[in-house]
Amino acid sequence: MKIKNLLLGSLTSIALVTSGQSLADYPNKDIQGIIMWGAGGSTDSVMRSVTPYAEEKLGVDVIMTNRSGGVGAIATKYVYSQKSDGYTLLMGAENPQMHKVLGLSSIDYSDMIPINILARGTPIIVANNDAPYNTFEEFVAYVKAHPGEVRTGMTGNGGLTSIVLAMLESQVKLDLTPVPYNGDGPALTALQSGTIDVMSSVIGAALDHIQAGRMKVISVIDAKENNLLPGIAPITDTYPKLSSYLPWGPFFGIFVKKGTPKEAIDKLVAAFHAAAENESFKQLMAKRGFEIMNESGASAEAFLERYRSVSSWIVYDSGFSKKSPADFNIPRP
Amino acid sequence: MYMLNAWVSLDYVLLTALGTLLGIYVGAIPGLSVTMAVSILISFTFSWDINNALCLMIGIYMGGVYGGSRTAILLNIPGAPAAIVTALDGYPLAKKGLAGQAIGLSTIMSVIGGFVGIAVLAVAAPAVSDFALLFQPRDYLLLGIMGITLVGALSGRSLIKGIFAGALGIGIGTVGLDPLTAEERFTFGYVELWSGISPVVVMIGLFGLTEALVQLHNLDKAMIKQKVDKIVPKLGDIKKYLPLSIQSSFIGVVIGALPGTGGEIASLMAYDHARRVTKKPEVPFGEGAKEGLIAAESSNNAAVGGAFIPMLTLGIPGDAVTAVFIGALFIHGVNPGPLLIETRPDMFWFIVGTLLLANVFLLIFGLTGIKVFSKIIQCPKGILIPIIFLLSIVGAYSIHNSVSDIWWMLAFGVMGYFMRRHGYPLSPIILGVILSHLMDENWRRAILVERNDLGAFWANLFSSPLSLTLLFIIVFVALSSTPFWRILKQKISRK
């Protein structure tokens, strides 16, 4: 493994030396976009709906390929192994920010430059329609009265469900029975069929089911009410202390490897900024319950850092991370 | 009726036709998968009108599922996992020079299956999706067990070798991150192995490459002369097989509608069903029984309609292709979900109409190109084998755009070659790979849901009519293939 890293390092340094040529006319060939999740998933849909507008600005095609696997680590490693010339984009979600503490990979977004953080999702807690609780307080009271009886869907350590649960556990001890699923799609299905009773998800994934009356929402994991879910109290009403973590939520972003020439970055940032301003893209995202961010530069980096610090320390404090965030100089939130 | 919208515009009709035709070829080539084709189309059709895009994609889906049977019959290389079962009896037919007949029959049966699937989608979609939601983890486990009993049927001469192959398949299926705890299993530290070994890679290796390697031995042997005069099956034959076809189709719809199971499991179940209900096949199963072909082809095309049911009623994909459809609809501003039928009935019926149209084109294209297709098998081996090699490599790479998949495919191909030389059946391996995830995940989930209480697991199993029915079927199937059953039957008939 070590030799491989060394080799990779030396290869990339050679690439760095050789890639400095003829960038004045960037972009002069097609750009590769590597999507870290599979076709049809939410990351895939978001990227495929924003990129065509950016292509118009860039004047070249962005050829998108799905390279799923390893919770996003495979795509991240792949982009990191390419030349830093701005011709390979990483189109990803929040996952790599947890890779270091979970021991999945030695690369995260701090080794990349954000071109655009497109949008972010707001976590919520949904429950089966037949569940005997309608608010978060009632839910806590019920769990306390029936320890271990409430089953909750989980989507793996480091996934949204695990972090939300860890956030809640920092405020209240909940004795739930976790049932793992590989993705929130199957888990939301199981919630409707009564296999599980409650789970955390994002508004985008659950909104239609909620509006169709197939499940109910009992809390919004945010510091304020969400206008898509009027009347649902934010979690900070119950646990004001959580506001130090919030707003927190999964996000979608486009990245290039560190070392990419400034000219290429500027052009990409401008193109994707304009693309994310597109009215039909905005409508699309709003309908799916995603909050448009459209941020780049320092504000995007600050957002990424905050996400990494909150999530890393939460999973470390709840004891399921392999390594301490301190090992990677990740400050406490 | 919104459904007619799909038929009145020349654009729609032509695009559906084009899609279906493309689909047949995409499906026929191992490794060029329907999922892949539909994903590429998402980008390609981004700026199109959504209805046009849907026509093309639905055509490809319908044609692709059917197309998988072509190479399965002609070359023993299933174009897609759903066609693995087709190869079991289809290829022996081709070896007897009956490829034309086999393709003709499979076309008719695919179309019948397709119609049944679409009819159920149109008439009973909400009811079927509610039924699909009844399935608990334990029921998926029982389905998996039901499937694995098929090893017996797929073993050929030696049951022991069949069981060995099946177990090997299950072992291969466990490679990767544990689906429940994300613990690494048999990955030896390689990130490339985290998502496991794709069943399609195993399939391309074991069928495509192995077949090419085995054929190297027969390089100089004369080709089988194919009879291509009687392609369209006789009406009497269709009538005779219609009940089986309809039954298989219903199996296909239900399995297709279950999230997480698709055409490949549907065709396995239908094949097993056909083996049990067919009292006296003209030729034994596995040696070219038409019943086997019919069950496989009806059910996997019926599963297409089935897969659309949870997608259009709940926004849950029924299989990998419908997952991509959800993405496509989303990009075009339509939210497939529980509200779709109410808020966009035009969209729902347009999809139904297009499916129907694609199915009609399937019949036309399926029956017209057979003569040319059957000639493939007569193509000199010196040309055919390198092409198979090339397609296998391209196919393996294209699944995840990953070079390591090519190496896996090559390794499985070589392994398959030696296993075949030593009389090991290969299909149980695929069966194991396909089913191991289903059983692994759902057994553990089922027991977790009961908080690790085995007593509660059985209690709930026996109190659920659905689980009990599935269990009863498994016990019945198991018992009916033991000598004990024959003795019992004789005793009863003597009285």
Side-chain angles (χ1 to χ4, degrees):
Chain A
M1 224 32 207
K2 262 191 186 152
I3 295 171
K4 212 173 151 194
N5 280 341
L6 208 80
L7 215 72
L8 210 76
S10 50
L11 275 177
T12 44
S13 50
I14 295 169
L16 278 173
V17 175
T18 50
S19 69
Q21 51 196 343
S22 74
L23 272 156
D25 44 352
Y26 177 91
N28 56 15
K29 59 173 182 183
D30 287 350
I31 297 170
Q32 304 294 320
I34 310 297
I35 302 172
M36 71 167 61
W37 287 102
S42 54
T43 311
D44 184 67
S45 311
V46 169
M47 295 307 166
R48 285 184 198 272
S49 46
V50 72
T51 307
Y53 304 119
E55 281 176 336
E56 286 171 17
K57 294 276 164 200
L58 290 165
V60 293
D61 285 344
V62 178
I63 297 159
M64 286 175 279
T65 324
N66 301 88
R67 264 183 204 255
S68 52
V71 213
I74 288 180
T76 312
K77 279 187 183 177
Y78 174 78
V79 174
Y80 196 75
S81 72
Q82 299 296 301
K83 283 185 196 170
S84 51
D85 55 5
Y87 286 103
T88 315
L89 308 180
L90 177 64
M91 304 181 145
E94 71 284 356
N95 318 75
Q97 290 301 68
M98 306 290 293
H99 285 174
K100 283 185 177 169
V101 284
L102 292 176
L104 294 183
S105 164
S106 56
I107 307 163
D108 63 19
Y109 288 144
S110 63
D111 304 294
M112 304 263 175
I113 297 165
I115 295 297
N116 198 312
I117 306 294
L118 293 162
R120 138 183 115 73
T122 303
I124 51 174
I125 296 177
V126 282
N128 182 285
N129 272 340
D130 300 333
Y133 34 79
N134 292 313
T135 65
F136 196 75
E137 281 89 357
E138 286 171 23
F139 165 68
V140 172
Y142 185 84
V143 175
K144 292 231 188 273
H146 303 84
E149 274 179 35
V150 177
R151 293 161 301 194
T152 182
M154 300 293 286
T155 55
N157 282 352
L160 173 98
T161 52
S162 69
I163 295 174
V164 170
L165 198 64
M167 261 186 210
L168 299 176
E169 295 248 305
S170 72
Q171 305 298 315
V172 57
K173 187 86 200 82
L174 293 170
D175 187 3
L176 301 166
T177 298
V179 183
Y181 287 87
N182 35 12
D184 56 355
L188 286 169
T189 312
L191 185 76
Q192 291 175 56
S193 61
T195 311
I196 54 175
D197 307 299
V198 66
M199 72 172 283
S200 50
S201 181
V202 278
I203 292 184
L207 189 62
D208 259 22
H209 301 289
I210 297 165
Q211 285 173 348
R214 304 194 70 102
M215 55 181 69
K216 59 188 178 190
V217 52
I218 57 173
S219 186
V220 178
I221 309 295
D222 206 342
K224 58 178 186 356
E225 218 181 87
N226 193 290
N227 45 16
L228 285 168
L229 300 166
I232 305 296
I235 191 77
T236 44
D237 282 9
T238 319
Y239 302 111
K241 273 192 193 155
L242 279 179
S243 59
S244 68
Y245 293 139
L246 301 169
W248 176 94
F251 58 88
F252 306 106
I254 296 168
F255 304 84
V256 290
K257 188 179 163 183
K258 256 198 180 143
T260 302
K262 191 175 174 306
E263 200 222 332
I265 292 174
D266 289 346
K267 283 199 175 158
L268 286 169
V269 166
F272 277 99
H273 186 81
E277 285 283 303
N278 185 291
E279 208 42 53
S280 55
F281 175 70
K282 275 183 170 170
Q283 273 177 18
L284 213 69
M285 299 308 280
K287 237 167 121 183
R288 291 289 282 199
F290 293 118
E291 208 156 303
I292 295 270
M293 291 179 63
N294 196 9
E295 278 180 38
S296 51
S299 62
E301 270 164 30
F303 173 82
L304 290 171
E305 189 49 42
R306 180 185 161 77
Y307 181 95
R308 186 170 74 145
S309 119
V310 168
S311 315
S312 302
W313 281 103
I314 281 178
V315 296
Y316 179 71
D317 290 341
S318 60
F320 63 79
S321 72
K322 286 195 176 155
K323 292 167 184 165
S324 162
D327 297 351
F328 308 102
N329 300 319
I330 301 173
R332 258 189 194 277
Chain B
M1 262 314 241
Y2 290 117
M3 198 156 89
L4 295 174
N5 286 351
W7 307 334
V8 290
S9 152
L10 190 64
D11 275 9
Y12 297 163
V13 174
L14 285 178
L15 280 169
T16 311
L18 178 71
T20 314
L21 189 65
L22 279 176
I24 294 177
Y25 288 89
V26 165
I29 299 170
L32 286 192
S33 71
V34 182
T35 319
M36 213 174 86
V38 176
S39 335
I40 292 169
L41 280 181
I42 289 192
S43 296
F44 183 67
T45 59
F46 179 79
S47 55
W48 292 20
D49 171 56
I50 180 171
N51 291 3
N52 284 338
L54 273 176
C55 284
L56 196 59
M57 291 202 286
I58 288 174
I60 289 207
Y61 188 16
M62 208 64 185
V65 171
Y66 160 78
S69 68
R70 285 281 169 101
T71 32
I73 292 170
L74 291 170
L75 304 168
N76 200 19
I77 305 168
I84 292 169
V85 184
T86 312
L88 297 178
D89 283 294
Y91 186 58
L93 280 170
K95 276 205 284 199
K96 291 178 189 161
L98 300 173
Q101 260 193 46
I103 295 181
L105 189 66
S106 76
T107 308
I108 301 286
M109 293 307 158
S110 293
V111 172
I112 293 177
F115 279 128
V116 172
I118 297 162
V120 173
L121 169 67
V123 177
V128 174
S129 66
D130 282 340
F131 176 67
L133 279 182
L134 286 179
F135 277 71
Q136 297 293 324
R138 60 172 176 272
D139 303 313
Y140 281 100
L141 169 71
L142 291 170
L143 275 181
I145 294 174
M146 221 184 266
I148 213 79
T149 55
L150 259 176
V151 166
L154 302 177
S155 289
R157 280 182 208 95
S158 161
L159 182 62
I160 286 294
K161 284 179 175 173
I163 291 175
F164 171 80
L168 183 68
I170 292 180
I172 295 167
T174 56
V175 174
L177 293 188
D178 180 316
L180 270 67
T181 61
E183 210 57 51
E184 292 180 44
R185 299 196 295 205
F186 306 114
T187 58
F188 305 100
Y190 288 99
V191 182
E192 286 77 7
L193 280 176
W194 277 2
S195 29
I197 301 168
S198 157
V200 185
V201 168
V202 183
M203 183 195 82
I204 296 174
L206 287 183
F207 286 84
L209 194 68
T210 299
E211 186 65 34
L213 291 172
V214 169
Q215 289 296 334
L216 281 176
H217 287 275
N218 315 329
L219 257 186
D220 45 356
K221 278 199 190 132
M223 310 306 145
I224 316 137
K225 197 88 189 101
Q226 292 293 336
K227 281 176 246 161
V228 286
D229 43 344
K230 277 187 219 139
I231 287 165
V232 183
K234 280 185 237 105
L235 202 63
D237 263 11
I238 298 178
K239 261 193 198 152
K240 184 176 139 201
Y241 294 129
L242 196 63
L244 178 64
S245 171
I246 301 276
Q247 290 159 16
S248 306
S249 302
F250 277 105
I251 295 178
V253 182
V254 173
I255 304 276
L258 292 176
T261 54
E264 65 272 26
I265 293 177
S267 57
L268 285 166
M269 300 279 172
Y271 187 75
D272 195 36
H273 172 76
R275 281 187 74 243
R276 264 177 289 109
V277 295
T278 311
K279 292 279 162 348
K280 286 193 184 94
E282 284 165 35
V283 264
F285 278 87
E287 293 173 24
K290 285 184 182 155
E291 289 85 353
L293 195 63
I294 289 161
E297 282 305 297
S298 309
S299 61
N300 66 22
N301 272 68
V304 173
F308 272 98
I309 292 176
M311 174 194 144
L312 293 173
T313 52
L314 301 171
I316 300 161
D319 66 357
V321 183
T322 38
V324 181
F325 266 95
I326 289 184
L329 285 172
F330 164 58
I331 288 172
H332 283 283
V334 178
N335 267 2
L339 299 171
L340 183 89
I341 295 185
E342 277 172 49
T343 56
R344 297 293 301 272
D346 56 322
M347 198 42 72
F348 177 79
W349 288 108
F350 182 79
I351 290 175
V352 174
T354 308
L355 277 167
L356 214 52
L357 194 62
N359 212 27
V360 173
F361 281 118
L362 194 63
L363 185 66
I364 299 168
F365 295 137
L367 288 179
T368 46
I370 296 180
K371 279 186 190 171
V372 191
F373 245 108
S374 304
K375 290 278 188 311
I376 291 178
I377 202 172
Q378 294 173 26
C379 168
K381 295 231 165 78
I383 297 172
L384 194 60
I385 293 174
I387 293 178
I388 296 178
F389 263 94
L390 200 69
L391 286 178
S392 302
I393 291 172
V394 173
Y397 176 76
S398 62
I399 304 164
H400 294 126
N401 301 313
S402 139
V403 179
S404 48
D405 280 346
I406 300 180
W407 294 110
W408 280 115
M409 186 279 296
L410 290 173
F412 279 114
V414 172
M415 185 186 87
Y417 169 77
F418 284 106
M419 287 182 79
R420 257 190 51 184
R421 298 296 287 172
H422 293 279
Y424 285 88
L426 297 183
S427 23
I429 303 183
I430 297 280
L431 183 80
V433 177
I434 292 176
L435 292 175
S436 74
H437 254 265
L438 188 75
M439 293 198 297
D440 176 15
E441 263 176 58
N442 285 300
W443 155 241
R444 290 162 60 197
R445 207 171 280 146
I447 201 76
L448 273 172
V449 167
E450 311 293 356
R451 286 188 281 157
N452 298 322
D453 183 349
L454 206 55
F457 172 78
W458 284 108
N460 281 323
L461 198 154
F462 280 110
S463 60
S464 148
L466 179 65
S467 310
L468 208 56
T469 313
L470 291 171
L471 183 70
F472 179 76
I473 295 174
I474 293 172
V475 172
F476 171 76
V477 169
L479 273 181
S480 66
S481 44
T482 56
F484 168 75
W485 186 261
R486 239 174 291 141
I487 297 164
L488 199 76
K489 236 173 153 179
Q490 277 167 359
K491 270 191 185 161
I492 295 167
S493 57
R494 235 176 269 154
K495 279 174 195 169

